[in-house]
Amino acid sequence: MASHAEKPLILISSCLLGMATRYDGRSKPSPVILSELGSYVSWLPVCPEADSGMGTPRPPMRVIRQVDGSIGLVRPADGFDPAPMLRAWIERTLPALLSRRPDAAILKARSPSCGLRTVAVLDAKRPGATFPGDGLFAAALRQAAPELPIFDENDLATPEQCQQFLQQLTQR
Ligand code: SF4
């Protein structure tokens, strides 16, 4: 475990803590994560979309694999591609987040930014088809910190899974 404070530091999607940062202006807290882990860890909340200046509420967006194979974003409402601003924010912010030496990360499922393997990625070559993939922030985090244990919120959906998570942290 990193040598900061007494409690493990957990990087977490801020909407899971109840912050109203979602695209629809609402929060979606995880009661299990809050009640089972809240007393034992310190949180390092992050919302890639709100923090990068997209505003809240904001139009929903999707991850898309372009015809050339590159991964991008598309906002179906107006065709705008928010990927450059999100990637610029990630480049600026991720080193600072990782310099805090988090012990693990917990990310919101299915989000085009935070989703970990659970995002329905559009395929520009096959209109209407999707495949499972990462959100842009999750992908960047995995690449920048391959040793960091990263969890999808659904990995911590029960008190038992949360207890296991805490045990794993103390064994690191
Ligand atoms: S899933 Fe990620 S980007 Fe979306 S509201 Fe939650 S923290 Fe922000």
Side-chain angles (χ1 to χ4, degrees):
M1 198 185 300
S3 60
H4 48 64
E6 310 77 39
K7 295 179 177 179
L9 182 65
I10 308 301
L11 180 69
I12 186 166
S13 300
S14 56
C15 56
L16 289 174
L17 296 181
M19 298 176 192
T21 53
R22 279 167 53 89
Y23 72 95
D24 57 6
R26 298 181 179 180
S27 69
K28 206 163 183 188
S30 164
V32 178
I33 289 173
L34 285 172
S35 64
E36 296 297 322
L37 303 182
S39 304
Y40 304 105
V41 305
S42 298
W43 299 121
L44 178 57
V46 61
C47 176
E49 295 176 24
D51 297 351
S52 65
M54 289 188 195
T56 306
R58 53 190 172 273
M61 59 187 188
R62 303 286 305 268
V63 181
I64 184 167
R65 182 168 64 190
Q66 307 287 9
V67 175
D68 65 5
S70 64
I71 296 292
L73 293 169
V74 61
R75 213 157 67 182
D78 56 11
F80 177 69
D81 176 3
M85 72 185 290
L86 186 58
R87 286 208 168 95
W89 176 85
I90 289 171
E91 206 170 303
R92 282 197 310 274
T93 311
L94 197 47
L97 288 172
L98 293 175
S99 76
R100 302 278 307 275
R101 301 181 62 203
D103 294 289
I106 304 174
L107 299 178
K108 181 87 185 88
R110 296 181 296 280
S111 153
S113 300
C114 295
L116 186 68
R117 297 184 289 269
T118 53
V119 182
V121 180
L122 299 170
D123 187 347
K125 275 189 188 163
R126 298 183 300 144
T130 63
F131 62 93
D134 288 333
L136 265 59
F137 178 71
L141 185 61
R142 267 150 66 99
Q143 192 175 13
E147 305 297 322
L148 182 71
I150 308 178
F151 296 79
D152 178 276
E153 61 170 320
N154 292 323
D155 298 329
L156 300 169
T158 67
E160 292 73 24
Q161 288 172 315
C162 290
Q163 292 307 316
Q164 264 186 346
F165 171 81
L166 287 173
Q167 274 173 14
Q168 282 174 20
L169 283 181
T170 56
Q171 286 163 7
R172 291 186 78 221

